[in-house]
């Protein structure tokens, strides 16, 4: 069985009295003879140019053989495209897209690709919008796609696919987009006197042709048809189990949700929501391995926990003592060098 590696991103940012040693890079942990061996800068990211460091969020390994890493630092707001071997020091970081390309992409959080890599969706916390961009297989890679015509109204930020209940102008602009009601697909926000926002849209996942969006402030997960752009409503939550959802994960045709203290599973085919894990310490990013084992980061616990394919706990915390709050995690299995990572 090939060794598995868990990649993790962290809160990062400028050192503070509370966290004087933030982790600015993607760390990895490879399982070797039953133990997890760390690599402190797994993708060979260059040192940040400023004292604020990186604030890395989503990390994806796409079918084109590259990692895509989101840097949410407001002064950067960028998505990098990185070879699986890491950044080539002779070429430097390759920008897939950024706020310089999509003006409203302020403080990005998550990125999701369609199966053909011809389109992608990127969430932006400070404008409370999901943007749709041309994917890496398109000649306009990284540029904003047309605004979703199914959104009621006009004059939205370029590339808007999901709008906000509160229209927020792009940085440096006074052109405020229209508000879109929550009942029409607009995303909730806090505080209600914002901006700036403290709680806004977060994670996303794509199951088939349905885009799921974590509406953190609304305590719900909204759904959208990526073909028509139509708002399909929020997922059924009859027992009000969803509490400030942040991370979403699509796997095996199902949707996994990490919220305030639990991990939930939504089955679109049955329309049912099930609690898988409860009493967790601020669960964050999630990932499965090839054997069906499940991993979830504990943001406040500064650790990564593991569970078997039937969600029984391993010897947790599986990876303890992280110096910073983990955000997203991604588990991949290494094959021979010629095959790369799957």
């Amino acid at each position: 069985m090939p060794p598995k590696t868990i990649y993790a991103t962290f809160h990062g940012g400028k050192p503070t009295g509370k966290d004087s040693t933030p982790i600015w890079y993607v760390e990895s942990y490879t399982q070797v003879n039953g133990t997890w061996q760390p690599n402190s800068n797994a993708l060979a990211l260059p040192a940040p140019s400023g004292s604020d460091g990186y604030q890395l969020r989503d990390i994806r390994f796409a079918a084109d053989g590259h990692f895509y890493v989101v840097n949410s630092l407001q002064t950067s707001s960028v998505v990098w495209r990185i070879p699986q071997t890491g950044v080539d020091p002779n070429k430097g970081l390759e920008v897939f897209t950024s706020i310089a390309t999509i003006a409203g992409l302020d403080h990005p959080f998550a990125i999701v690709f369609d199966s053909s890599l011809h389109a992608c969706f990127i969430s932006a916390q400070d404008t409370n919008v999901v943007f749709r961009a041309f994917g890496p297989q398109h000649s306009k890679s990284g540029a904003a796609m047309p605004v979703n015509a199914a959104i009621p109204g006009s004059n939205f930020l370029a590339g808007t696919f999901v709008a906000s209940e509160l229209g927020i102008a792009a940085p440096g602009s006074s052109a405020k987009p229209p508000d879109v009601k929550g009942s029409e697909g607009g995303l909730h926000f806090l505080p209600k006197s914002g901006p700036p926002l403290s709680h806004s849209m977060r994670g996303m996942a794509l199951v088939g042709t349905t885009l799921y969006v974590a509406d953190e402030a609304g305590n719900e997960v909204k759904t959208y048809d990526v073909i028509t752009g139509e708002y399909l409503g929020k997922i059924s939550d009859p027992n009000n189990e969803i509490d400030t959802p942040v991370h979403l994960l699509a796997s095996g045709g199902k949707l996994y949700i990490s919220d305030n203290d639990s991990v939930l599973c939504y089955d679109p085919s049955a329309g049912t929501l099930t609690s898988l894990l409860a009493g967790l310490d601020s669960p964050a990013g999630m990932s499965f391995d090839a054997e069906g084992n499940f991993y979830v980061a504990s943001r406040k616990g500064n650790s990564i926990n593991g569970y078997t394919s039937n969600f029984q706990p391993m010897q947790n915390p599986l990876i303890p003592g992280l110096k910073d709050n983990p955000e997203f995690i991604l588990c991949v299995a290494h094959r021979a060098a010629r095959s790369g990572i799957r």
Side-chain angles (χ1 to χ4, degrees), residues 258-262 279-285 296-301 326:
S258 68
D259 61 15
N260 182 47
D261 62 359
S262 63
L280 302 181
D281 188 5
S282 189
V296 59
S298 172
R299 197 173 185 275
K300 293 182 179 178

Side-chain angles (χ1 to χ4, degrees), residues 184-213:
E184 296 178 332
L187 298 170
H188 294 87
F189 61 94
L190 287 174
K192 287 300 182 182
S193 59
L197 308 180
S198 60
H199 293 78
S200 56
M201 79 81 44
R202 294 284 191 160
M204 301 175 295
L206 189 59
V207 180
T209 58
T210 300
L211 181 71
Y212 294 81
V213 177

Side-chain angles (χ1 to χ4, degrees), residues 35 85 152 158 171 186 202-203 235 261 286-287 295 300 318 339:
T35 62
T85 53
R202 294 284 191 160
I235 68 172
D261 62 359
M286 303 167 286
S287 188
Y295 305 92
K300 293 182 179 178
L318 198 67
S339 301

Side-chain angles (χ1 to χ4, degrees), residues 102-327:
I102 302 176
L105 193 64
D106 190 17
H107 201 192
F109 186 76
I111 183 169
V112 176
F113 296 97
D114 70 2
S115 59
S116 64
L117 296 186
H118 279 275
C120 68
F121 302 87
I122 312 169
S123 63
Q125 296 175 81
D126 285 8
T127 46
N128 201 32
V129 165
V130 174
F131 293 95
R132 180 173 54 178
F134 290 105
Q137 299 291 63
H138 199 279
S139 60
K140 296 181 180 179
S141 174
M145 293 181 70
V147 170
N148 179 4
I151 304 174
S154 59
N155 299 320
F156 292 98
L157 299 173
T160 298
F161 185 77
V162 178
S164 172
E165 275 199 317
L166 173 69
I168 301 174
S173 172
S174 60
K176 178 184 177 298
D179 305 341
V180 175
K181 296 178 181 179
S183 60
E184 296 178 332
L187 298 170
H188 294 87
F189 61 94
L190 287 174
K192 287 300 182 182
S193 59
L197 308 180
S198 60
H199 293 78
S200 56
M201 79 81 44
R202 294 284 191 160
M204 301 175 295
L206 189 59
V207 180
T209 58
T210 300
L211 181 71
Y212 294 81
V213 177
D215 188 335
E216 181 189 21
N219 294 320
E220 59 192 28
V221 176
K222 286 184 162 73
T223 63
Y224 305 83
D225 188 310
V226 298
I227 304 299
T228 66
E230 179 185 3
Y231 173 53
L232 304 175
K234 60 185 180 180
I235 68 172
S236 177
D237 181 18
N239 298 319
N240 296 317
E241 294 181 273
I242 300 176
D243 179 14
T244 59
V246 175
H247 290 263
L248 303 182
L249 172 69
S251 181
K254 296 181 179 180
L255 177 74
Y256 297 85
I257 307 163
S258 68
D259 61 15
N260 182 47
D261 62 359
S262 63
V263 172
L264 309 169
C265 177
Y266 178 69
D267 185 344
S269 61
T272 55
L273 184 67
T274 305
S275 177
L276 297 178
L277 303 170
L280 302 181
D281 188 5
S282 189
M286 303 167 286
S287 188
F288 283 94
D289 66 17
E291 290 77 50
N293 298 310
F294 180 74
Y295 305 92
V296 59
S298 172
R299 197 173 185 275
K300 293 182 179 178
N302 285 32
S303 61
I304 298 173
N305 295 327
Y307 299 85
T308 63
S309 57
N310 59 353
F311 294 95
Q312 295 303 304
M314 298 179 185
Q315 189 173 350
N316 287 325
L318 198 67
I319 304 173
L322 303 176
K323 295 178 181 179
D324 196 358
N325 304 140
E327 295 280 352

